[in-house]
Amino acid sequence: MRSTSNILLLVAITTLATPVMANAAKEDVVPTEEQVDTGLKNFGYLTGLALGCVAADQSAQLETEAMNISNEISRTLGGDRAFLYAASFGYGTNIELNQQECTEALANFEKRAAAFQQDMRGEK
């Protein structure tokens, strides 16, 4: 049986990745295993894209945030799921974006990371 915090984490990971779920209330949504995996991959990829868009002096902070996210995923969902996030992060770091794409990627990452952190704290 999953604890409430794990269900909230699963919802946080998948909500922004699945448009249909984004319109449903968090309490009404229990994502499938496939949706969780897809959400983790998308979140990791987005984090990697964001790393390529920040200034050199900000990259260490973003790398630390990515490690903290990965650790939290590992703690709550297991190492296999943390690996999905980390592998997608690595892939995203190899993609070069133009300025407009970077602005969008950073905004999306900040939104997604804030939702993740909010759910980790148990806020609604």
Side-chain angles (χ1 to χ4, degrees), residues 34-84:
E34 184 179 338
Q35 289 170 322
V36 171
D37 292 347
T38 299
L40 287 168
K41 290 175 192 175
N42 291 341
F43 190 22
Y45 178 71
L46 183 59
T47 307
L49 290 177
L51 181 63
C53 292
V54 296
D57 60 331
Q58 297 172 318
S59 65
Q61 180 182 355
L62 187 61
E63 287 173 355
T64 299
E65 186 171 358
M67 287 295 294
N68 290 340
I69 290 169
S70 181
N71 289 338
E72 188 62 30
I73 292 168
S74 179
R75 185 183 70 76
T76 58
L77 300 176
D80 290 346
R81 292 233 164 100
F83 177 78
L84 287 176

Short mmCIF file of all heavy atoms in Angstrom, two decimals, residues 34-84:
data_model
loop_
_atom_site.label_atom_id
_atom_site.label_comp_id
_atom_site.label_asym_id
_atom_site.label_seq_id
_atom_site.Cartn_x
_atom_site.Cartn_y
_atom_site.Cartn_z
N GLU A 34 3.22 3.45 -15.79
CA GLU A 34 3.76 4.02 -17.03
C GLU A 34 3.75 5.54 -16.98
O GLU A 34 4.71 6.19 -17.43
CB GLU A 34 2.95 3.52 -18.22
CG GLU A 34 3.49 3.99 -19.55
CD GLU A 34 2.69 3.46 -20.72
OE1 GLU A 34 1.98 2.44 -20.58
OE2 GLU A 34 2.78 4.07 -21.79
N GLN A 35 2.71 6.14 -16.43
CA GLN A 35 2.63 7.59 -16.33
C GLN A 35 3.70 8.13 -15.38
O GLN A 35 4.29 9.17 -15.64
CB GLN A 35 1.25 8.03 -15.87
CG GLN A 35 0.17 7.85 -16.91
CD GLN A 35 -1.21 8.07 -16.34
OE1 GLN A 35 -1.51 7.70 -15.20
NE2 GLN A 35 -2.07 8.67 -17.15
N VAL A 36 3.95 7.40 -14.31
CA VAL A 36 5.00 7.81 -13.37
C VAL A 36 6.35 7.78 -14.06
O VAL A 36 7.13 8.74 -13.98
CB VAL A 36 5.00 6.91 -12.11
CG1 VAL A 36 6.23 7.19 -11.24
CG2 VAL A 36 3.72 7.09 -11.32
N ASP A 37 6.64 6.69 -14.75
CA ASP A 37 7.92 6.57 -15.46
C ASP A 37 8.08 7.66 -16.51
O ASP A 37 9.14 8.28 -16.62
CB ASP A 37 8.07 5.19 -16.09
CG ASP A 37 8.21 4.08 -15.05
OD1 ASP A 37 8.44 4.39 -13.87
OD2 ASP A 37 8.07 2.90 -15.44
N THR A 38 7.03 7.91 -17.28
CA THR A 38 7.07 8.96 -18.30
C THR A 38 7.27 10.33 -17.65
O THR A 38 8.06 11.14 -18.14
CB THR A 38 5.79 8.94 -19.14
OG1 THR A 38 5.69 7.68 -19.79
CG2 THR A 38 5.78 10.05 -20.18
N GLY A 39 6.58 10.57 -16.56
CA GLY A 39 6.74 11.84 -15.85
C GLY A 39 8.16 12.05 -15.33
O GLY A 39 8.72 13.14 -15.43
N LEU A 40 8.76 10.99 -14.81
CA LEU A 40 10.14 11.08 -14.33
C LEU A 40 11.11 11.35 -15.46
O LEU A 40 12.03 12.16 -15.33
CB LEU A 40 10.53 9.80 -13.60
CG LEU A 40 9.89 9.60 -12.23
CD1 LEU A 40 10.12 8.19 -11.74
CD2 LEU A 40 10.44 10.61 -11.24
N LYS A 41 10.89 10.68 -16.58
CA LYS A 41 11.76 10.91 -17.75
C LYS A 41 11.62 12.35 -18.23
O LYS A 41 12.64 13.02 -18.50
CB LYS A 41 11.40 9.95 -18.87
CG LYS A 41 11.76 8.51 -18.61
CD LYS A 41 11.26 7.63 -19.73
CE LYS A 41 11.33 6.18 -19.39
NZ LYS A 41 10.72 5.34 -20.45
N ASN A 42 10.41 12.84 -18.32
CA ASN A 42 10.19 14.21 -18.78
C ASN A 42 10.78 15.23 -17.80
O ASN A 42 11.37 16.23 -18.22
CB ASN A 42 8.70 14.48 -18.98
CG ASN A 42 8.12 13.73 -20.15
OD1 ASN A 42 8.83 13.28 -21.03
ND2 ASN A 42 6.80 13.57 -20.15
N PHE A 43 10.62 14.97 -16.52
CA PHE A 43 11.17 15.88 -15.50
C PHE A 43 12.68 15.90 -15.56
O PHE A 43 13.32 16.95 -15.50
CB PHE A 43 10.65 15.44 -14.13
CG PHE A 43 10.93 16.40 -13.00
CD1 PHE A 43 11.18 17.75 -13.21
CD2 PHE A 43 10.91 15.95 -11.70
CE1 PHE A 43 11.41 18.62 -12.15
CE2 PHE A 43 11.13 16.80 -10.63
CZ PHE A 43 11.39 18.15 -10.85
N GLY A 44 13.30 14.73 -15.70
CA GLY A 44 14.76 14.66 -15.81
C GLY A 44 15.27 15.37 -17.05
O GLY A 44 16.25 16.13 -17.00
N TYR A 45 14.60 15.14 -18.17
CA TYR A 45 14.97 15.79 -19.43
C TYR A 45 14.86 17.31 -19.30
O TYR A 45 15.76 18.05 -19.70
CB TYR A 45 14.07 15.26 -20.55
CG TYR A 45 14.33 15.89 -21.90
CD1 TYR A 45 15.48 15.60 -22.61
CD2 TYR A 45 13.39 16.75 -22.46
CE1 TYR A 45 15.71 16.16 -23.86
CE2 TYR A 45 13.62 17.32 -23.71
CZ TYR A 45 14.76 17.02 -24.40
OH TYR A 45 14.99 17.58 -25.63
N LEU A 46 13.78 17.78 -18.71
CA LEU A 46 13.57 19.21 -18.52
C LEU A 46 14.65 19.80 -17.61
O LEU A 46 15.15 20.89 -17.86
CB LEU A 46 12.18 19.45 -17.93
CG LEU A 46 11.75 20.88 -17.72
CD1 LEU A 46 11.75 21.65 -19.04
CD2 LEU A 46 10.36 20.91 -17.10
N THR A 47 15.04 19.06 -16.58
CA THR A 47 16.10 19.52 -15.68
C THR A 47 17.42 19.63 -16.43
O THR A 47 18.17 20.60 -16.27
CB THR A 47 16.24 18.56 -14.48
OG1 THR A 47 14.97 18.39 -13.85
CG2 THR A 47 17.23 19.11 -13.46
N GLY A 48 17.71 18.66 -17.29
CA GLY A 48 18.93 18.71 -18.10
C GLY A 48 18.93 19.87 -19.07
O GLY A 48 19.95 20.54 -19.25
N LEU A 49 17.78 20.13 -19.70
CA LEU A 49 17.68 21.29 -20.59
C LEU A 49 17.93 22.58 -19.82
O LEU A 49 18.65 23.46 -20.30
CB LEU A 49 16.28 21.35 -21.23
CG LEU A 49 15.92 20.30 -22.26
CD1 LEU A 49 14.48 20.50 -22.72
CD2 LEU A 49 16.87 20.33 -23.45
N ALA A 50 17.37 22.68 -18.64
CA ALA A 50 17.54 23.88 -17.81
C ALA A 50 19.01 24.09 -17.46
O ALA A 50 19.50 25.22 -17.47
CB ALA A 50 16.69 23.79 -16.54
N LEU A 51 19.73 23.00 -17.19
CA LEU A 51 21.16 23.13 -16.86
C LEU A 51 21.93 23.76 -18.01
O LEU A 51 22.82 24.58 -17.79
CB LEU A 51 21.75 21.77 -16.50
CG LEU A 51 23.22 21.80 -16.10
CD1 LEU A 51 23.43 22.61 -14.82
CD2 LEU A 51 23.76 20.39 -15.93
N GLY A 52 21.58 23.40 -19.23
CA GLY A 52 22.26 23.97 -20.39
C GLY A 52 21.91 25.43 -20.64
O GLY A 52 22.57 26.09 -21.45
N CYS A 53 20.91 25.92 -19.94
CA CYS A 53 20.44 27.29 -20.17
C CYS A 53 20.88 28.28 -19.09
O CYS A 53 20.67 29.48 -19.25
CB CYS A 53 18.91 27.31 -20.26
SG CYS A 53 18.27 26.47 -21.73
N VAL A 54 21.45 27.81 -18.02
CA VAL A 54 21.86 28.72 -16.95
C VAL A 54 23.30 29.16 -17.14
O VAL A 54 24.09 28.49 -17.82
CB VAL A 54 21.67 28.09 -15.54
CG1 VAL A 54 20.21 27.81 -15.26
CG2 VAL A 54 22.51 26.85 -15.37
N ALA A 55 23.63 30.26 -16.53
CA ALA A 55 25.00 30.77 -16.58
C ALA A 55 25.92 29.81 -15.81
O ALA A 55 25.47 29.05 -14.94
CB ALA A 55 25.06 32.16 -15.96
N ALA A 56 27.19 29.86 -16.14
CA ALA A 56 28.17 28.95 -15.53
C ALA A 56 28.16 29.04 -14.01
O ALA A 56 28.29 28.02 -13.32
CB ALA A 56 29.56 29.25 -16.07
N ASP A 57 27.99 30.24 -13.46
CA ASP A 57 28.01 30.39 -12.00
C ASP A 57 26.73 29.85 -11.35
O ASP A 57 26.68 29.67 -10.14
CB ASP A 57 28.25 31.84 -11.61
CG ASP A 57 27.19 32.79 -12.13
OD1 ASP A 57 26.59 32.52 -13.18
OD2 ASP A 57 26.97 33.83 -11.46
N GLN A 58 25.69 29.56 -12.13
CA GLN A 58 24.45 29.01 -11.59
C GLN A 58 24.35 27.50 -11.78
O GLN A 58 23.49 26.86 -11.19
CB GLN A 58 23.24 29.66 -12.28
CG GLN A 58 23.12 31.15 -12.04
CD GLN A 58 22.02 31.76 -12.89
OE1 GLN A 58 21.90 31.41 -14.07
NE2 GLN A 58 21.24 32.64 -12.31
N SER A 59 25.23 26.94 -12.58
CA SER A 59 25.12 25.51 -12.89
C SER A 59 25.35 24.62 -11.67
O SER A 59 24.67 23.60 -11.53
CB SER A 59 26.06 25.12 -14.03
OG SER A 59 27.40 25.28 -13.65
N ALA A 60 26.24 25.00 -10.78
CA ALA A 60 26.49 24.18 -9.59
C ALA A 60 25.24 24.11 -8.71
O ALA A 60 24.91 23.05 -8.18
CB ALA A 60 27.66 24.74 -8.79
N GLN A 61 24.53 25.22 -8.60
CA GLN A 61 23.31 25.24 -7.80
C GLN A 61 22.24 24.35 -8.44
O GLN A 61 21.56 23.60 -7.74
CB GLN A 61 22.79 26.67 -7.67
CG GLN A 61 21.51 26.78 -6.86
CD GLN A 61 21.00 28.21 -6.79
OE1 GLN A 61 21.63 29.14 -7.27
NE2 GLN A 61 19.84 28.38 -6.20
N LEU A 62 22.10 24.41 -9.75
CA LEU A 62 21.11 23.58 -10.43
C LEU A 62 21.49 22.11 -10.37
O LEU A 62 20.63 21.25 -10.19
CB LEU A 62 20.92 24.02 -11.88
CG LEU A 62 19.79 23.34 -12.63
CD1 LEU A 62 18.44 23.59 -11.97
CD2 LEU A 62 19.75 23.80 -14.07
N GLU A 63 22.77 21.80 -10.48
CA GLU A 63 23.22 20.41 -10.34
C GLU A 63 22.91 19.87 -8.95
O GLU A 63 22.47 18.72 -8.80
CB GLU A 63 24.71 20.30 -10.63
CG GLU A 63 25.07 20.45 -12.08
CD GLU A 63 26.57 20.51 -12.33
OE1 GLU A 63 27.36 20.52 -11.35
OE2 GLU A 63 26.96 20.54 -13.50
N THR A 64 23.11 20.70 -7.93
CA THR A 64 22.78 20.30 -6.56
C THR A 64 21.28 20.06 -6.42
O THR A 64 20.87 19.07 -5.80
CB THR A 64 23.24 21.38 -5.56
OG1 THR A 64 24.66 21.52 -5.67
CG2 THR A 64 22.87 21.01 -4.13
N GLU A 65 20.47 20.93 -7.01
CA GLU A 65 19.02 20.74 -6.96
C GLU A 65 18.62 19.45 -7.67
O GLU A 65 17.77 18.70 -7.17
CB GLU A 65 18.31 21.93 -7.58
CG GLU A 65 16.80 21.87 -7.43
CD GLU A 65 16.09 23.14 -7.84
OE1 GLU A 65 16.75 24.13 -8.22
OE2 GLU A 65 14.85 23.14 -7.77
N ALA A 66 19.24 19.17 -8.80
CA ALA A 66 18.95 17.93 -9.53
C ALA A 66 19.32 16.71 -8.69
O ALA A 66 18.58 15.72 -8.66
CB ALA A 66 19.69 17.91 -10.87
N MET A 67 20.45 16.76 -8.01
CA MET A 67 20.86 15.65 -7.13
C MET A 67 19.87 15.48 -5.97
O MET A 67 19.52 14.35 -5.62
CB MET A 67 22.27 15.89 -6.58
CG MET A 67 23.36 15.70 -7.61
SD MET A 67 23.46 13.99 -8.18
CE MET A 67 23.97 13.18 -6.71
N ASN A 68 19.42 16.58 -5.41
CA ASN A 68 18.45 16.51 -4.31
C ASN A 68 17.13 15.89 -4.79
O ASN A 68 16.52 15.09 -4.09
CB ASN A 68 18.20 17.89 -3.71
CG ASN A 68 19.39 18.40 -2.94
OD1 ASN A 68 20.28 17.65 -2.54
ND2 ASN A 68 19.45 19.71 -2.75
N ILE A 69 16.70 16.27 -5.98
CA ILE A 69 15.48 15.70 -6.55
C ILE A 69 15.67 14.21 -6.77
O ILE A 69 14.81 13.40 -6.40
CB ILE A 69 15.10 16.43 -7.85
CG1 ILE A 69 14.62 17.85 -7.55
CG2 ILE A 69 14.02 15.65 -8.61
CD1 ILE A 69 14.47 18.74 -8.78
N SER A 70 16.79 13.83 -7.36
CA SER A 70 17.07 12.42 -7.61
C SER A 70 17.11 11.63 -6.31
O SER A 70 16.57 10.51 -6.23
CB SER A 70 18.40 12.28 -8.35
OG SER A 70 18.67 10.93 -8.63
N ASN A 71 17.72 12.19 -5.28
CA ASN A 71 17.77 11.52 -3.97
C ASN A 71 16.38 11.33 -3.39
O ASN A 71 16.08 10.27 -2.82
CB ASN A 71 18.65 12.30 -3.00
CG ASN A 71 20.11 12.22 -3.34
OD1 ASN A 71 20.56 11.31 -4.04
ND2 ASN A 71 20.88 13.20 -2.87
N GLU A 72 15.53 12.33 -3.53
CA GLU A 72 14.16 12.23 -3.01
C GLU A 72 13.38 11.18 -3.79
O GLU A 72 12.61 10.41 -3.21
CB GLU A 72 13.47 13.59 -3.08
CG GLU A 72 12.13 13.62 -2.39
CD GLU A 72 12.20 13.34 -0.90
OE1 GLU A 72 13.22 13.65 -0.26
OE2 GLU A 72 11.22 12.79 -0.36
N ILE A 73 13.57 11.14 -5.11
CA ILE A 73 12.91 10.11 -5.92
C ILE A 73 13.40 8.73 -5.48
O ILE A 73 12.60 7.81 -5.31
CB ILE A 73 13.17 10.34 -7.43
CG1 ILE A 73 12.44 11.62 -7.88
CG2 ILE A 73 12.72 9.14 -8.25
CD1 ILE A 73 12.85 12.10 -9.26
N SER A 74 14.69 8.58 -5.28
CA SER A 74 15.24 7.30 -4.85
C SER A 74 14.69 6.89 -3.49
O SER A 74 14.31 5.73 -3.28
CB SER A 74 16.77 7.39 -4.78
OG SER A 74 17.32 6.17 -4.36
N ARG A 75 14.61 7.85 -2.59
CA ARG A 75 14.12 7.57 -1.24
C ARG A 75 12.66 7.13 -1.25
O ARG A 75 12.27 6.22 -0.53
CB ARG A 75 14.29 8.80 -0.36
CG ARG A 75 13.93 8.58 1.11
CD ARG A 75 14.05 9.85 1.93
NE ARG A 75 13.03 10.81 1.60
CZ ARG A 75 11.75 10.75 1.99
NH1 ARG A 75 11.33 9.74 2.71
NH2 ARG A 75 10.89 11.70 1.68
N THR A 76 11.84 7.79 -2.06
CA THR A 76 10.40 7.53 -2.02
C THR A 76 9.93 6.51 -3.05
O THR A 76 8.95 5.81 -2.81
CB THR A 76 9.60 8.83 -2.21
OG1 THR A 76 9.96 9.44 -3.44
CG2 THR A 76 9.82 9.77 -1.06
N LEU A 77 10.60 6.44 -4.20
CA LEU A 77 10.12 5.57 -5.28
C LEU A 77 11.10 4.48 -5.67
O LEU A 77 10.77 3.62 -6.48
CB LEU A 77 9.80 6.42 -6.52
CG LEU A 77 8.73 7.49 -6.34
CD1 LEU A 77 8.58 8.32 -7.61
CD2 LEU A 77 7.41 6.87 -5.94
N GLY A 78 12.33 4.56 -5.18
CA GLY A 78 13.31 3.52 -5.47
C GLY A 78 14.37 3.93 -6.47
O GLY A 78 14.22 4.92 -7.20
N GLY A 79 15.43 3.16 -6.49
CA GLY A 79 16.59 3.45 -7.34
C GLY A 79 16.31 3.38 -8.83
O GLY A 79 16.88 4.14 -9.61
N ASP A 80 15.45 2.45 -9.24
CA ASP A 80 15.15 2.34 -10.67
C ASP A 80 14.50 3.62 -11.19
O ASP A 80 14.83 4.10 -12.28
CB ASP A 80 14.21 1.16 -10.95
CG ASP A 80 14.90 -0.18 -10.76
OD1 ASP A 80 16.15 -0.21 -10.68
OD2 ASP A 80 14.19 -1.20 -10.69
N ARG A 81 13.61 4.18 -10.42
CA ARG A 81 12.93 5.40 -10.85
C ARG A 81 13.88 6.60 -10.77
O ARG A 81 13.83 7.49 -11.62
CB ARG A 81 11.68 5.63 -10.02
CG ARG A 81 10.63 4.56 -10.32
CD ARG A 81 9.34 5.19 -10.67
NE ARG A 81 8.42 4.30 -11.32
CZ ARG A 81 7.40 3.69 -10.72
NH1 ARG A 81 7.21 3.84 -9.43
NH2 ARG A 81 6.58 2.95 -11.42
N ALA A 82 14.76 6.61 -9.80
CA ALA A 82 15.76 7.68 -9.73
C ALA A 82 16.69 7.60 -10.94
O ALA A 82 17.11 8.63 -11.48
CB ALA A 82 16.56 7.59 -8.43
N PHE A 83 16.98 6.39 -11.38
CA PHE A 83 17.81 6.21 -12.57
C PHE A 83 17.12 6.78 -13.81
O PHE A 83 17.77 7.40 -14.65
CB PHE A 83 18.16 4.74 -12.78
CG PHE A 83 18.95 4.51 -14.03
CD1 PHE A 83 20.31 4.79 -14.06
CD2 PHE A 83 18.35 4.05 -15.19
CE1 PHE A 83 21.05 4.61 -15.21
CE2 PHE A 83 19.08 3.86 -16.35
CZ PHE A 83 20.44 4.14 -16.36
N LEU A 84 15.81 6.56 -13.95
CA LEU A 84 15.08 7.13 -15.08
C LEU A 84 15.23 8.65 -15.11
O LEU A 84 15.48 9.24 -16.17
CB LEU A 84 13.59 6.78 -15.00
CG LEU A 84 13.19 5.35 -15.30
CD1 LEU A 84 11.70 5.17 -15.07
CD2 LEU A 84 13.57 4.96 -16.71
#
